[in-house]
Amino acid sequence: MPFALVGSRTTARRQAKGVGITVFSTSYGDWRQVCQWPADNPSFLVQGRAAGMVYAVHGDDHRLTRLSLAASGQLRAVQEVDTTGTNPVHLALDSSGSWLLIVNHSGSVVALPVASFGELGSPPAGWS
């Protein structure tokens, strides 16, 4: 089933009213809410190469969460890593799907290796 995932700002600091990540089903030509996954400021999301993997950075923080998206549309956190900077604002997978690049507003960029099932490794020595 096709899904659309929408991240939102959630903290009082941002005067936000979001709840985290909302998953919508898009299979019948309309958008129906399937679930909400509470999280602090999941500001940018990217789908991983491994089936059902989603990566989300948390604005105003220093974390990235790897999520598993079930066929039902339910989300479950499976890994959390430090982005080595603060306020991560962008994610991108390289064309091979082997590296996840994270850009932090604090002025750093980090590359994390991505294993075949979507797990994230540590940044290479000297990177960030």
Side-chain angles (χ1 to χ4, degrees), residues 3 9 11 20-21 41 46 53 55 64 66 69 80 106 112-113 121 124-125:
F3 296 108
R9 294 289 190 175
T11 58
I21 299 173
N41 296 329
V46 69
M53 279 298 113
Y55 303 99
L64 175 142
R66 179 172 63 99
L69 177 64
E80 193 166 280
S106 59
L112 300 177

mmCIF file of all heavy atoms in Angstrom, residues 3 9 11 20-21 41 46 53 55 64 66 69 80 106 112-113 121 124-125:
data_model
loop_
_atom_site.group_PDB
_atom_site.id
_atom_site.type_symbol
_atom_site.label_atom_id
_atom_site.label_comp_id
_atom_site.label_asym_id
_atom_site.label_seq_id
_atom_site.Cartn_x
_atom_site.Cartn_y
_atom_site.Cartn_z
ATOM 1 N N PHE A 3 2.163 4.917 0.884
ATOM 2 C CA PHE A 3 1.986 5.807 2.025
ATOM 3 C C PHE A 3 2.683 7.130 1.770
ATOM 4 O O PHE A 3 3.676 7.193 1.042
ATOM 5 C CB PHE A 3 2.587 5.196 3.299
ATOM 6 C CG PHE A 3 1.921 3.933 3.737
ATOM 7 C CD1 PHE A 3 2.557 2.715 3.603
ATOM 8 C CD2 PHE A 3 0.661 3.965 4.289
ATOM 9 C CE1 PHE A 3 1.956 1.548 4.001
ATOM 10 C CE2 PHE A 3 0.038 2.794 4.698
ATOM 11 C CZ PHE A 3 0.691 1.578 4.553
ATOM 12 N N ARG A 9 6.666 20.153 13.114
ATOM 13 C CA ARG A 9 7.256 20.753 14.309
ATOM 14 C C ARG A 9 6.313 20.504 15.468
ATOM 15 O O ARG A 9 5.098 20.562 15.318
ATOM 16 C CB ARG A 9 7.462 22.260 14.117
ATOM 17 C CG ARG A 9 8.496 22.595 13.061
ATOM 18 C CD ARG A 9 9.860 22.254 13.548
ATOM 19 N NE ARG A 9 10.871 22.790 12.646
ATOM 20 C CZ ARG A 9 12.147 22.717 12.872
ATOM 21 N NH1 ARG A 9 12.594 22.141 13.959
ATOM 22 N NH2 ARG A 9 13.004 23.217 12.022
ATOM 23 N N THR A 11 7.376 21.314 19.184
ATOM 24 C CA THR A 11 7.756 21.865 20.490
ATOM 25 C C THR A 11 7.206 23.266 20.726
ATOM 26 O O THR A 11 6.980 24.033 19.798
ATOM 27 C CB THR A 11 9.283 21.900 20.638
ATOM 28 O OG1 THR A 11 9.834 22.680 19.581
ATOM 29 C CG2 THR A 11 9.874 20.502 20.603
ATOM 30 N N GLY A 20 4.295 14.955 15.446
ATOM 31 C CA GLY A 20 5.440 14.133 15.064
ATOM 32 C C GLY A 20 5.327 13.768 13.607
ATOM 33 O O GLY A 20 5.270 14.626 12.747
ATOM 34 N N ILE A 21 5.249 12.459 13.325
ATOM 35 C CA ILE A 21 5.096 11.990 11.953
ATOM 36 C C ILE A 21 3.696 11.409 11.797
ATOM 37 O O ILE A 21 3.268 10.569 12.593
ATOM 38 C CB ILE A 21 6.147 10.916 11.599
ATOM 39 C CG1 ILE A 21 7.556 11.502 11.718
ATOM 40 C CG2 ILE A 21 5.902 10.383 10.181
ATOM 41 C CD1 ILE A 21 8.666 10.478 11.545
ATOM 42 N N ASN A 41 9.897 17.344 16.820
ATOM 43 C CA ASN A 41 10.328 18.040 15.606
ATOM 44 C C ASN A 41 10.950 17.150 14.527
ATOM 45 O O ASN A 41 12.067 17.405 14.079
ATOM 46 C CB ASN A 41 11.321 19.149 15.962
ATOM 47 C CG ASN A 41 10.702 20.222 16.811
ATOM 48 O OD1 ASN A 41 9.524 20.501 16.715
ATOM 49 N ND2 ASN A 41 11.496 20.835 17.659
ATOM 50 N N VAL A 46 13.465 10.798 4.991
ATOM 51 C CA VAL A 46 13.892 10.204 3.728
ATOM 52 C C VAL A 46 13.635 8.697 3.810
ATOM 53 O O VAL A 46 13.813 8.088 4.865
ATOM 54 C CB VAL A 46 15.374 10.513 3.395
ATOM 55 C CG1 VAL A 46 16.325 9.818 4.328
ATOM 56 C CG2 VAL A 46 15.702 10.179 1.970
ATOM 57 N N MET A 53 12.219 1.104 5.447
ATOM 58 C CA MET A 53 13.091 1.932 6.279
ATOM 59 C C MET A 53 12.826 3.406 5.997
ATOM 60 O O MET A 53 12.722 3.827 4.844
ATOM 61 C CB MET A 53 14.565 1.666 5.990
ATOM 62 C CG MET A 53 15.147 0.453 6.654
ATOM 63 S SD MET A 53 15.117 0.516 8.450
ATOM 64 C CE MET A 53 13.948 -0.781 8.791
ATOM 65 N N TYR A 55 14.180 7.334 7.577
ATOM 66 C CA TYR A 55 15.081 8.057 8.458
ATOM 67 C C TYR A 55 14.488 9.435 8.725
ATOM 68 O O TYR A 55 13.979 10.087 7.803
ATOM 69 C CB TYR A 55 16.463 8.206 7.821
ATOM 70 C CG TYR A 55 17.083 6.878 7.457
ATOM 71 C CD1 TYR A 55 17.024 6.396 6.161
ATOM 72 C CD2 TYR A 55 17.696 6.094 8.427
ATOM 73 C CE1 TYR A 55 17.565 5.166 5.825
ATOM 74 C CE2 TYR A 55 18.241 4.859 8.096
ATOM 75 C CZ TYR A 55 18.177 4.404 6.795
ATOM 76 O OH TYR A 55 18.709 3.187 6.474
ATOM 77 N N LEU A 64 18.943 11.492 15.037
ATOM 78 C CA LEU A 64 18.317 10.924 13.859
ATOM 79 C C LEU A 64 17.713 9.597 14.294
ATOM 80 O O LEU A 64 18.339 8.845 15.043
ATOM 81 C CB LEU A 64 19.348 10.676 12.760
ATOM 82 C CG LEU A 64 18.815 9.957 11.518
ATOM 83 C CD1 LEU A 64 19.451 10.542 10.276
ATOM 84 C CD2 LEU A 64 19.068 8.473 11.593
ATOM 85 N N ARG A 66 16.001 5.989 12.975
ATOM 86 C CA ARG A 66 15.684 5.054 11.890
ATOM 87 C C ARG A 66 14.402 4.353 12.296
ATOM 88 O O ARG A 66 14.282 3.819 13.398
ATOM 89 C CB ARG A 66 16.813 4.042 11.701
ATOM 90 C CG ARG A 66 16.518 3.036 10.592
ATOM 91 C CD ARG A 66 17.736 2.172 10.292
ATOM 92 N NE ARG A 66 18.172 1.354 11.393
ATOM 93 C CZ ARG A 66 17.883 0.058 11.539
ATOM 94 N NH1 ARG A 66 17.154 -0.566 10.659
ATOM 95 N NH2 ARG A 66 18.357 -0.601 12.584
ATOM 96 N N LEU A 69 8.707 1.002 8.766
ATOM 97 C CA LEU A 69 7.342 1.248 8.314
ATOM 98 C C LEU A 69 6.727 -0.086 7.913
ATOM 99 O O LEU A 69 7.163 -0.719 6.948
ATOM 100 C CB LEU A 69 7.335 2.217 7.127
ATOM 101 C CG LEU A 69 5.985 2.516 6.483
ATOM 102 C CD1 LEU A 69 5.058 3.231 7.468
ATOM 103 C CD2 LEU A 69 6.171 3.358 5.228
ATOM 104 N N GLU A 80 18.509 4.871 17.012
ATOM 105 C CA GLU A 80 18.684 6.314 17.179
ATOM 106 C C GLU A 80 20.183 6.602 17.192
ATOM 107 O O GLU A 80 20.940 5.883 17.855
ATOM 108 C CB GLU A 80 18.029 6.780 18.470
ATOM 109 C CG GLU A 80 17.902 8.284 18.559
ATOM 110 C CD GLU A 80 16.971 8.705 19.670
ATOM 111 O OE1 GLU A 80 15.750 8.660 19.455
ATOM 112 O OE2 GLU A 80 17.472 9.052 20.748
ATOM 113 N N SER A 106 24.198 23.686 12.739
ATOM 114 C CA SER A 106 25.356 24.121 13.516
ATOM 115 C C SER A 106 26.610 24.217 12.652
ATOM 116 O O SER A 106 27.666 24.596 13.133
ATOM 117 C CB SER A 106 25.593 23.172 14.695
ATOM 118 O OG SER A 106 25.818 21.853 14.236
ATOM 119 N N LEU A 112 26.985 8.820 7.266
ATOM 120 C CA LEU A 112 26.898 7.574 8.011
ATOM 121 C C LEU A 112 26.760 6.415 7.033
ATOM 122 O O LEU A 112 25.951 6.479 6.100
ATOM 123 C CB LEU A 112 25.674 7.588 8.940
ATOM 124 C CG LEU A 112 25.637 8.689 9.996
ATOM 125 C CD1 LEU A 112 24.331 8.603 10.784
ATOM 126 C CD2 LEU A 112 26.834 8.605 10.914
ATOM 127 N N PRO A 113 27.534 5.345 7.230
ATOM 128 C CA PRO A 113 27.381 4.179 6.359
ATOM 129 C C PRO A 113 26.045 3.485 6.626
ATOM 130 O O PRO A 113 25.594 3.416 7.771
ATOM 131 C CB PRO A 113 28.561 3.290 6.749
ATOM 132 C CG PRO A 113 28.948 3.722 8.111
ATOM 133 C CD PRO A 113 28.565 5.164 8.244
ATOM 134 N N GLY A 121 25.783 2.941 10.600
ATOM 135 C CA GLY A 121 27.046 2.785 11.312
ATOM 136 C C GLY A 121 27.550 4.133 11.810
ATOM 137 O O GLY A 121 26.879 5.155 11.689
ATOM 138 N N PRO A 124 32.940 7.748 9.461
ATOM 139 C CA PRO A 124 34.361 7.408 9.344
ATOM 140 C C PRO A 124 35.227 8.375 10.161
ATOM 141 O O PRO A 124 34.824 9.511 10.419
ATOM 142 C CB PRO A 124 34.654 7.576 7.851
ATOM 143 C CG PRO A 124 33.355 7.756 7.184
ATOM 144 C CD PRO A 124 32.350 8.129 8.208
ATOM 145 N N ALA A 125 36.389 7.933 10.590
ATOM 146 C CA ALA A 125 37.304 8.775 11.365
ATOM 147 C C ALA A 125 37.613 10.057 10.605
ATOM 148 O O ALA A 125 37.845 10.036 9.392
ATOM 149 C CB ALA A 125 38.593 8.008 11.641
#
